């Protein structure tokens, strides 16, 4: 069975500190991974995807197939980064597809 | 980005009743996804709604409990039938407009069952 694990339910850092939100996955095929973010009172939205290899709002995430990880990192956290972050795996099977989400990590960036 | 509106945004219901949630998208999409987010839990896919065919349900979800309609390419409904307190959750509609895995979500429908 495919699975996405986010080991930290809560993560608290100070403004300016580095932050890393962990995500590990289990998937038998070639993985496609995403990070979604939900700010307070806003909809869940895409932050970044591993295929794009882009940096969004200072965040990056590298797919490490050896460690089956897709950790989200930012060198200097900002207060506006406080949000709920979800790692997601795109699963394709027999012509159908879906996104499987981890349980999420609530990030709090303190002033 | 897609504009997705869900109704109702929240409701309080009595045990044993049913509630239908509507999802309207501003453009035509092939697949619409219905997720559930229980308190403190992640998003769990209930079913994928395809226009012109039966919805595809995930393990643990059945059509009798969560009937879905998809009358056209911009609209879908999810009904939560014979509700119990365990059905209290946020129900989310989402679409993948470009088949890239980028889902656009509605604001969600927060359901409380007493």
């Amino acid at each position: 069975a495919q699975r996405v694990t986010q080991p930290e339910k809560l993560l608290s850092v100070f403004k300016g500190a580095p932050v890393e939100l962990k995500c590990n996955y289990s998937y038998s095929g070639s993985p496609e991974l995403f990070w979604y973010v939900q700010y307070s009172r806003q909809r869940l939205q895409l932050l970044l995807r591993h295929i794009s290899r882009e940096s969004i709002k200072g965040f990056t995430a590298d797919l490490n197939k050896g460690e089956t990880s897709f950790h989200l990192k930012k060198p200097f956290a900002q207060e506006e980064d406080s949000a709920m972050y979800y790692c997601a795996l795109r699963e394709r099977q027999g012509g159908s597809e879906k996104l499987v989400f981890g349980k999420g990590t609530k990030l709090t960036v303190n002033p | 980005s897609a504009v997705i509106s869900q109704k109702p945004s929240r409701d309080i219901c009595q045990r044993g009743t049913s509630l239908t949630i509507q999802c309207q998208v501003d453009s035509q999409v092939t697949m619409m996804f219905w997720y559930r987010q229980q308190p403190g839990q992640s998003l769990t896919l209930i079913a994928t709604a395809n226009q012109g065919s039966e919805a595809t349900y995930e393990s643990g979800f059945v059509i009798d409990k969560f009937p879905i309609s998809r009358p056209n390419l911009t609209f879908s409904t999810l009904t939560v039938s014979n509700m119990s307190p365990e059905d209290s959750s946020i129900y989310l509609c989402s679409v993948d407009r470009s088949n890239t895995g980028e889902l656009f979500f509605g604001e969600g429908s927060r359901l409380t069952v007493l």
Side-chain angles (χ1 to χ4, degrees):
Chain A
Q2 285 72 34
R3 231 177 69 172
V4 178
T5 305
Q6 293 180 250
E8 303 138 331
K9 203 168 184 178
L10 302 169
L11 185 61
S12 183
V13 301
F14 286 102
K15 176 182 173 181
V19 63
E20 180 179 67
L21 292 88
K22 292 185 169 52
C23 173
N24 288 90
Y25 67 91
S26 173
Y27 188 55
S28 54
S30 184
E32 278 187 71
L33 286 143
F34 305 80
W35 277 99
Y36 279 78
V37 61
Q38 188 167 26
Y39 301 102
S40 179
R41 298 190 198 86
Q42 293 188 28
R43 305 177 188 213
L44 191 61
Q45 60 187 287
L46 178 69
L47 179 62
L48 54 80
R49 68 192 90 186
H50 92 268
I51 288 178
S52 302
R53 302 184 66 82
E54 57 199 345
S55 173
I56 303 292
K57 298 185 179 182
F59 284 98
T60 58
D62 291 319
L63 178 63
N64 186 323
K65 292 186 180 181
E67 296 183 356
T68 60
S69 68
F70 188 57
H71 303 327
L72 183 68
K73 300 176 185 179
K74 184 169 183 176
F76 308 103
Q78 303 300 314
E79 289 180 68
E80 54 265 30
D81 296 327
S82 296
M84 197 74 188
Y85 291 82
Y86 295 93
C87 183
L89 168 71
R90 188 182 192 188
E91 174 191 317
R92 296 177 193 251
Q93 197 170 41
S96 69
E97 64 170 67
K98 64 182 180 183
L99 280 191
V100 177
F101 287 83
K103 291 193 174 183
T105 298
K106 184 175 182 180
L107 173 66
T108 302
V109 181
N110 299 299
Chain B
S1 61
V3 175
I4 304 173
S5 58
Q6 274 185 245
K7 288 193 296 186
S9 58
R10 58 178 64 227
D11 207 340
I12 299 173
C13 303
Q14 296 298 317
R15 181 195 297 260
T17 62
S18 298
L19 177 76
T20 295
I21 301 166
Q22 299 179 4
C23 179
Q24 179 74 52
V25 188
D26 67 342
S27 61
Q28 295 182 342
V29 292
T30 304
M31 292 189 290
M32 295 175 78
F33 303 92
W34 286 98
Y35 282 85
R36 180 174 73 181
Q37 187 173 27
Q38 293 179 302
Q41 301 294 317
S42 182
L43 288 82
T44 302
L45 183 63
I46 297 171
T48 302
N50 303 304
Q51 197 272 333
S53 64
E54 294 270 330
T56 304
Y57 288 83
E58 297 298 307
S59 176
F61 297 96
V62 294
I63 188 171
D64 289 346
K65 176 67 176 178
F66 297 101
I68 286 172
S69 79
R70 184 79 201 273
N72 57 53
L73 291 171
T74 64
F75 187 78
S76 179
T77 67
L78 170 76
T79 299
V80 186
S81 304
N82 188 24
M83 289 183 285
S84 66
E86 291 72 34
D87 294 319
S88 297
S89 186
I90 298 174
Y91 293 85
L92 294 154
C93 170
S94 67
V95 302
D96 181 353
R97 288 182 69 179
S98 53
N99 195 30
T100 59
E102 178 179 3
L103 292 185
F104 292 94
F105 285 87
E107 288 184 335
S109 300
R110 183 183 292 271
L111 175 61
T112 302
V113 184
L114 303 178

